Every structure is written in structure tokens, then in C-alpha cells.
Amino acid sequence: MSAISCQLAKFQFVRCSQSRCMPGQGLKRVWTLPISPKKDSANLRVLQWNVLADGLAQHGDFVKVTQQALCWSYRAEKLLQQILEPQPDIVCLQEVNKYGDCFLPAMEKHGYTGAFFCKPCSPAEQYGAPCDGCALFYRSDRFDLCAEPQGQTFKAMDGSAGNQGMLIVHLFDRHSSTPICAATTHLKAKAGQANDAIRDHQVTQLMSELKRGVSVHTGKSVAASGSRAHQARSQQPLIVLCGDLNTTPDSLTCQLIARDPLQLRSSWDSYPNAAHRSHGMSDQQPFSTWKFRSDGESKRIIDYIWYGQMTFAVMCSITLLLTTITCVR
């Protein structure tokens, strides 16, 4: 039995009518907690979001949104508002191609430290936009960095260098005296058996890297004191894995994570219909992406927060926040 008490933050997405979501106003989200966080524990809030890369946004065939709303000058402030509003402790983002000139300075201003791993190449570049990648931010007043962030690409099926990748950051949580292995990834996009096989291959590599990170976790902190480094070395880290996996909960890709010896649990496990109704259109069905393109509507789960169930000497409750991009209907 785990000594970690995980409090999952369920959420409701408010469908905004035109009168409620006028230009200049932010999307109003309603967050609900099924269980109240423990008052005496160090609650951890984690936010996961694919922010949609500049360039891809304007050329993504999104038919129910104006071109003005897809421009970076219009989106940037609103994205940051949505990220900062729930006051997360750890933030994992994908399709970030405005890291150095937008996200990093803005997040640093609000007390976060960031790490970034850029893809070797990106489809956004064909539209004159920078290459995108994965970013991870953490609260500077809470966490110490235990080692240099590790970013790497996955190998392709033939063993050559691929284009998608992962970013792993080892932290020490001063609030709970717990080491944390935080990771974010963005797997291969598009449907089809060939791409399913690629995602399975990528997640197998990801889990191997996470296990390696756990086994060699040394706690050599850049900022931590010697005593904290010793604490980090003497404990197994809590694993927090976030990402856009581009596949649904009933896929083999997700099963490979769930069946791995690391015993990670998905935030979607609290939704009884998440795995079996991934492609439905029910109003009650949970989702993490909702798009309208010229070929139809897509509403499904492809974004995840996974976390470890290992035993620790300290109590630490985890509040998981999962956000999404939704279209106004």
C-alpha cells in the first residue's frame, strides 16, 4: 500500500456561448475536486497541456475559429493566463515554439524555472515558425534541481534518430522532502497501424529511460544543500509523466505504460468510462482534445498525467490538473 495519498482533480469544461466568450475574455473553467486535499500534506499540482505551436495553429484546418484567434499575438497572453490560473507546481507543455521569447521569461516572472527540449525538425518550420518541442516548468521556491535536464529523441523503428522525444527533469521537493522524476513527451501523431506501432516503440523507450532514471537517481543537486542531496539519494523518486500521447486510453501504447513494473497510474483512472468510450461524443464523456476540421469533429482523450504508486516515508497528496484546448460551439 502506497504511503502517497493521491487526490485527483476532476474538472468540468464549460461550453461557452458567444455571449459568454467574447473577444478579450478568457475561457472560464470550473475545477472540481472529488476528494478534499489533505490539510497536513504537501499537495502537488501538475498541469499538462499541448499549447498548439505557432504556425501549426494558423494552418491546422480549424474551421470553427477565426484566423485572428489563431494568431500568436492573440493567443500568447491567453495561454499564459490559463497556465497560471490554477497555480500549478509543475507545468508540462508540448508544441512549444515560443520558449525563449515568451514562455520562459513569463514563467520566470511568476516564480518558475524552465527546461526545454526542441525537436530536430518541425512541420511548423515550413510556415516560417520556429521548431517546437517539450517544455517543463517548476516552482523555484519549492523545488531544487538535482541534475541537468535530460532531453533526447526516440529512435525510429529502423534504429535511426527519430523526430519526437522526451524531456526528463529530476527535482527535490523541499515541502515533502521527496525526490521527483518529472517527464514530458509528445508521441507520433496521426492514426493508423503504422503510427500505432511507432508510438508503442516510442513509449517502450520512454519507460526504459524512466526506469534508468530511477535506478541512477543520485540527487546531485545544483542548488540543494548536502543534506537534501543525501535525502534524494536515499529515496526512490516519485515519477510524474505528462504528455500528448496522440492515442486513447484503450490503446496498446497506454497499456504498455500501465503494465510496466514502474506501476504508473493515469489521472483518467478516476473516470469509469474513459477507456471504453474514447471515441464517443457524449456530453458526459471526458476528453482532452476537441477539434473541428473540414473532415469532421474529433473529441477524445490523448493527453495524460501518469504518476507513481511507490512507497515513501512521507505523506504527499497529489492534485492533478489536466487542461485542454476546446472550441467554442
Side-chain angles (χ1 to χ4, degrees):
M1 181 176 179
S2 174
I4 293 183
S5 174
C6 299
Q7 311 295 337
L8 303 183
K10 291 188 178 181
F11 46 85
Q12 299 172 345
F13 297 100
V14 180
R15 286 190 184 180
C16 301
S17 63
Q18 190 172 1
S19 61
R20 293 188 62 188
C21 284
M22 298 298 288
Q25 294 182 350
L27 175 66
K28 302 298 182 183
R29 301 181 189 271
V30 178
W31 304 89
T32 62
L33 280 169
I35 305 174
S36 298
K38 292 182 177 295
K39 295 181 180 180
D40 298 329
S41 58
N43 299 306
L44 178 65
R45 292 189 175 189
V46 180
L47 186 146
Q48 149 65 23
W49 200 6
N50 180 327
V51 296
L52 184 58
D54 185 38
L56 299 185
Q58 299 93 319
H59 298 86
D61 189 29
F62 301 114
V63 297
K64 287 202 173 186
V65 63
T66 65
Q67 281 299 307
Q68 176 197 3
L70 294 171
C71 291
W72 184 252
S73 58
Y74 183 88
R75 298 174 59 222
E77 182 180 357
K78 293 174 176 57
L79 287 170
L80 289 167
Q81 287 175 346
Q82 291 292 308
I83 292 168
L84 293 168
E85 186 273 331
Q87 299 180 324
D89 299 303
I90 296 175
V91 177
C92 293
L93 307 176
Q94 300 81 43
E95 291 199 22
V96 174
N97 61 352
K98 297 287 186 177
Y99 178 76
D101 57 355
C102 179
F103 284 104
L104 181 60
M107 295 297 284
E108 286 182 336
K109 182 179 178 181
H110 287 86
Y112 291 85
T113 300
F116 179 65
F117 178 71
C118 189
K119 292 179 179 177
C121 60
S122 166
E125 294 177 290
Q126 64 183 301
Y127 305 115
C131 190
D132 71 282
C134 294
L136 190 150
F137 297 92
Y138 56 91
R139 299 193 73 91
S140 308
D141 62 354
R142 175 166 181 173
F143 301 99
D144 291 323
L145 183 64
C146 293
E148 290 300 318
Q150 304 167 6
Q152 66 182 72
T153 57
F154 298 118
K155 291 183 179 179
M157 302 286 282
D158 61 3
S160 63
N163 195 39
Q164 290 77 31
M166 60 183 136
L167 174 63
I168 301 177
V169 180
H170 290 282
L171 303 171
F172 183 80
D173 181 10
R174 298 195 296 272
H175 288 194
S176 63
S177 298
T178 302
I180 296 176
C181 176
T184 181
T185 188
H186 189 187
L187 301 187
K188 176 68 176 176
K190 307 297 182 183
Q193 290 185 349
N195 289 327
D196 286 339
I198 292 174
R199 285 187 285 270
D200 296 344
H201 184 61
Q202 291 174 340
V203 84
T204 300
Q205 297 173 67
L206 172 60
M207 300 310 291
S208 294
E209 279 301 308
L210 286 176
K211 284 195 284 287
R212 191 181 73 85
V214 169
S215 65
V216 301
H217 194 278
T218 62
K220 295 178 181 177
S221 174
V222 174
S225 66
S227 61
R228 286 174 183 157
H230 174 75
Q231 284 179 293
R233 284 194 296 269
S234 63
Q235 298 182 54
Q236 276 191 308
L238 165 64
I239 297 175
V240 178
L241 168 61
C242 301
D244 179 350
L245 304 189
N246 273 309
T247 191
T248 52
D250 54 355
S251 66
L252 177 58
T253 301
C254 288
Q255 292 176 32
L256 288 171
I257 299 176
R259 296 172 183 172
D260 190 90
L262 287 176
Q263 297 182 314
L264 302 187
R265 180 181 179 186
S266 168
S267 57
W268 294 111
D269 290 347
S270 61
Y271 291 85
N273 62 339
H276 303 293
R277 301 177 61 189
S278 302
H279 302 279
M281 293 295 175
S282 168
D283 289 343
Q284 288 73 42
Q285 174 208 340
F287 63 93
S288 74
T289 183
W290 192 2
K291 308 182 189 77
F292 295 87
R293 290 190 167 109
S294 56
D295 60 354
E297 176 183 0
S298 175
K299 179 182 178 184
R300 59 186 186 140
I301 295 170
I302 60 173
D303 302 275
Y304 299 84
I305 298 176
W306 298 82
Y307 57 95
Q309 303 183 70
M310 298 181 181
T311 301
F312 295 89
V314 296
M315 292 297 295
C316 175
S317 68
I318 306 172
T319 301
L320 302 181
L321 305 180
L322 186 61
T323 65
T324 187
I325 301 171
T326 56
C327 297
V328 177
R329 299 192 74 171

